[in-house]
Amino acid sequence: MAHVSLTANERTEFGNGPARRLRKAGFVPGVVYQPGGPSLPLSLSDRDLRRAIAEGRTGVIDLAVGDAPARPVLLKDWQLHPVRLDVMHVDFVEVDLTQEIEAPVAIALFGDAIGVREGGILDQPLREVVVSALPESLPDHIDLDVTGLQIGDSVTVGDLTAPTGVTIVTDPETVVASVVAPTVETEPETGEEGEGAAPAPADEGEGGGSDEE
């Protein structure tokens, strides 16, 4: 996978006020975690960051901060505004391209399951797996063909095929997807005729006297 290039500026002001000003100007505050060293605060273009997330969220990014040479990093996490979905903050982690790392990778289902054509429902309880690989070998996703699944069938992590050089770390017995029978709603049973009906009113004057004395 080709590297994505990003440029950033070192961040020297901290707190809510400076962060709001950065976002208003079209920049996103963030940080690079450096193994064995202090974290590096930075800010970068919101537009460039969105492009990097879209092009290679699991791929290596060549990140140049200020005048320093570009360093290989991976996207670790990013936070979105709950309403506007703006990127509020981003975390990177610097990596050694010669050392294997563990990272989450999305599972992409494809195919028209037999059980779904027969009325079943495709359920995917597991959306990603953790893999171990060299940073440059991390796949963007792992495909899983569900065409052959019938109602009642399921596939597990052990059924996934990882690319060459990639080892799936997640428990192989974990269910990734299954086709379940649709839930049938039944009408509540009614009791015998008259059961549950309001009692008939008593005959007028039955068991009671006049209000007048």
Side-chain angles (χ1 to χ4, degrees):
M1 183 183 297
H3 293 199
V4 176
S5 296
L6 274 179
T7 59
N9 297 311
E10 190 169 353
R11 188 158 47 97
T12 57
E13 293 184 308
F14 307 97
N16 292 333
R20 280 195 297 267
R21 289 193 291 272
L22 279 173
R23 297 185 189 109
K24 188 174 181 180
F27 292 89
V28 178
V31 64
V32 176
Y33 294 101
Q34 305 174 103
S39 58
L40 176 62
L42 53 81
S43 64
L44 68 164
S45 163
D46 175 81
R47 182 169 55 185
D48 291 346
L49 175 60
R50 287 181 179 274
R51 173 181 58 82
I53 293 174
E55 291 182 2
R57 62 177 61 196
T58 60
V60 176
I61 296 172
D62 292 327
L63 179 65
V65 182
D67 297 328
R71 66 187 74 197
V73 302
L74 295 177
L75 278 165
K76 185 176 188 297
D77 192 19
W78 60 93
Q79 293 82 46
L80 300 178
H81 188 280
V83 177
R84 300 191 305 271
L85 300 181
D86 298 334
V87 182
M88 304 295 288
H89 191 276
V90 61
D91 296 336
F92 299 96
V93 57
E94 187 172 350
V95 293
D96 181 343
L97 298 181
T98 66
Q99 298 292 323
E100 287 195 355
I101 61 170
E102 291 188 0
V105 172
I107 303 169
L109 305 185
F110 71 94
D112 186 9
I114 295 172
V116 172
R117 297 199 299 269
E118 295 175 347
I121 299 171
L122 180 63
D123 181 38
Q124 185 183 0
L126 189 67
R127 300 282 175 173
E128 60 183 25
V129 288
V130 176
V131 305
S132 176
L134 292 173
E136 293 184 299
S137 296
L138 289 173
D140 193 42
H141 61 270
I142 294 177
D143 290 328
L144 175 61
D145 185 359
V146 297
T147 304
L149 291 185
Q150 301 187 35
I151 294 176
D153 289 347
S154 63
V155 286
T156 65
V157 170
D159 297 314
L160 298 174
T161 301
T164 302
V166 177
T167 302
I168 298 176
V169 178
T170 302
D171 183 354
E173 298 299 320
T174 305
V175 173
V176 175
S178 61
V179 176
V180 297
T183 302
V184 179
E185 295 185 2
T186 57
E187 294 291 335
E189 295 184 3
T190 57
E192 295 181 0
E193 186 178 352
E195 181 179 344
D203 291 338
E204 188 175 346
E206 179 182 346
S210 172
D211 292 335
E212 295 180 359
E213 292 181 357

